[in-house]
Amino acid sequence: MKRLLNTVYITSGNKYLSLDGENVVVSENHDEIGRFPLHNIQGIVTFGYSGASPALMGACAKRNIDLAFMTMNGKFLARVTGETKGNVTLRKTQYRISDNEEQSIKISRNFILGKVYNSRWVLERAIRDYPMRVDVEKLKTSSKYLQKRLNDIRKCESNASLLGIEGEAASTYFSVINELILQQKNDFIFNGRSRRPPLDAVNALLSFSYSMLAGMCASALEAVGLDSYVGFYHKDRPGRASLALDLMEEFRSVMSDRFVLTLINKRIINKSHFLMKEDGAVLLNDIGRKVFLKSWQEKKQTMIKHPFLGEKIEWGMAPYVQALLLARYLRGDLDEYPPFFWK
């Protein structure tokens, strides 16, 4: 099992990253402000347009340390990775199945089964934990609808039909998310998803967390030898990590959405951590990103019991375990890809 090491986040764009021996050096205006040993690092994520020296990029590639470049609001720009792992047979199998809808739907169904099952679990957990603070009847109605859709997903035979079911389920789930905001209700109001750009603080947090999750899933897939850009549910599109988007469907509600709700309900994040752009976009400011990423790193290191393996792992390892299980299915070691059904 791969160890969960640290990720270094560079949250402002006027920094420069370089290599000094076996250390990453962070500089601002030619002054050193930080230094980290390479052997303690799993990845580096830099926001804005920070520069990085060719020597550092080469060292990261050699040691298989992810070096990812993001915009200030968390949109992926580029990633430096090392030599491709795995074997050509695994990737050729992935490509063949991706081009065959009859075969790929078997995997796609399980990605979406995991997504809808976990979305329903988030609602049921809220009903159980806060029966006096949420609209139980409203949440129960949505939960029952999601439960019915699970059966439809299992019978689904085409990607187009699956896309329609998933869209309806997501709409039902998001229609009651505002009920789960229990604190700071005047500052955090959710009336539905707005993506590019996010138009309120809740959407800003969701979009940022989804970007972090997508990066984790892409890294996990590449680590086990799969091509993160060739998906089964999300079809090929230049520049889009389609398989990473497939894999993250199972984790959106239980890892990202619950994390965002925790930030709000525990008052870790507040309205002072956001800025509004002239076009109406709402984004995390520098301090907000630091608060978010500190909590995100802590979330990754909390322990859970993997529902399929029955072993205790860190939350941050869950996408990696699912990537391993997907690779095992493609190799023929498993009869079916087991979704991440959180309990």
Side-chain angles (χ1 to χ4, degrees), residues 34-66:
R35 177 178 289 259
F36 307 93
L38 279 173
H39 68 269
N40 285 339
I41 298 173
Q42 179 191 24
I44 303 170
V45 181
T46 178
F47 296 88
Y49 298 94
S50 303
S53 71
L56 175 62
M57 288 189 280
C60 288
K62 182 179 179 180
R63 294 165 175 79
N64 291 305
I65 298 171
D66 258 10

Side-chain angles (χ1 to χ4, degrees), residues 82-98:
E83 182 179 354
T84 299
K85 297 183 180 179
N87 58 65
V88 66
T89 304
L90 176 62
R91 291 203 174 201
K92 287 178 72 174
T93 301
Q94 177 189 355
Y95 301 150
R96 282 196 298 269
I97 293 177
S98 177

Side-chain angles (χ1 to χ4, degrees), residues 165-185:
I165 295 170
E166 185 266 335
E168 292 173 2
S171 179
T172 298
Y173 166 72
F174 278 123
S175 71
V176 294
I177 285 296
N178 199 57
E179 292 293 322
L180 309 188
I181 299 174
L182 307 178
Q183 300 288 340
Q184 307 184 87
K185 295 179 75 71

Side-chain angles (χ1 to χ4, degrees), residues 60-110:
C60 288
K62 182 179 179 180
R63 294 165 175 79
N64 291 305
I65 298 171
D66 258 10
L67 174 56
F69 298 89
M70 317 281 279
T71 66
M72 293 304 283
N73 61 331
K75 182 180 178 182
F76 175 79
L77 291 173
R79 185 160 60 99
V80 176
T81 57
E83 182 179 354
T84 299
K85 297 183 180 179
N87 58 65
V88 66
T89 304
L90 176 62
R91 291 203 174 201
K92 287 178 72 174
T93 301
Q94 177 189 355
Y95 301 150
R96 282 196 298 269
I97 293 177
S98 177
D99 287 335
N100 186 313
E101 182 170 6
E102 185 178 344
Q103 291 181 298
S104 64
I105 191 68
K106 296 176 183 178
I107 305 173
S108 300
R109 277 198 303 250
N110 285 6

